[in-house]
Amino acid sequence: DFTAPHMFYSRPKGTYKGDDTKKLLLDFYLLNTTISADGNKVKATINGQEFMIEEWAPFYIENAPLGELTVMLELIDKDGNAIPGPFNKVTRSVTLAE
């Protein structure tokens, strides 16, 4: 459904080494929706810790421990319910190496 709200995960992905592990871009693309404090949001869960994203702006994951980093993004409505869609909930693992 090209008129429904969609969120597409972009970054981080792959393996990061050295200084690149210190600051990772958290990036996604929104289609047919906006996010705000009183509207839809993106729930980010990074290694089990939840964050609510209410503004579509650059965000960074900083000083994460080396090893596997798991990032889950989910597009949710103002009441915290998942918004259905094939791309609106995604989990990715990346590797942070020396």
Side-chain angles (χ1 to χ4, degrees):
D1 180 358
F2 292 109
T3 62
H6 294 290
M7 179 205 60
F8 300 94
Y9 182 100
S10 177
R11 298 246 184 304
K13 59 184 169 185
T15 299
Y16 296 84
K17 295 181 180 180
D19 285 341
D20 291 341
T21 64
K22 295 178 183 173
K23 188 174 182 179
L24 306 175
L25 177 65
L26 177 65
D27 191 29
F28 54 88
Y29 183 80
L30 298 172
L31 180 66
N32 299 324
T33 190
T34 58
I35 56 177
S36 66
D38 59 350
N40 293 344
K41 298 169 186 50
V42 173
K43 181 169 70 170
T45 306
I46 302 168
N47 279 355
Q49 188 173 0
E50 288 185 4
F51 303 89
M52 286 300 169
I53 300 175
E54 300 172 341
E55 176 184 11
W56 194 13
F59 289 95
Y60 294 92
I61 302 167
E62 297 185 88
N63 301 312
L66 296 180
E68 185 175 88
L69 179 77
T70 302
V71 178
M72 181 179 74
L73 296 182
E74 184 175 12
L75 184 61
I76 60 174
D77 67 18
K78 65 181 177 123
D79 298 317
N81 301 308
I83 296 175
F87 311 106
N88 292 345
K89 183 177 182 181
V90 63
T91 302
R92 296 278 192 269
S93 293
V94 298
T95 301
L96 307 181
E98 288 187 34

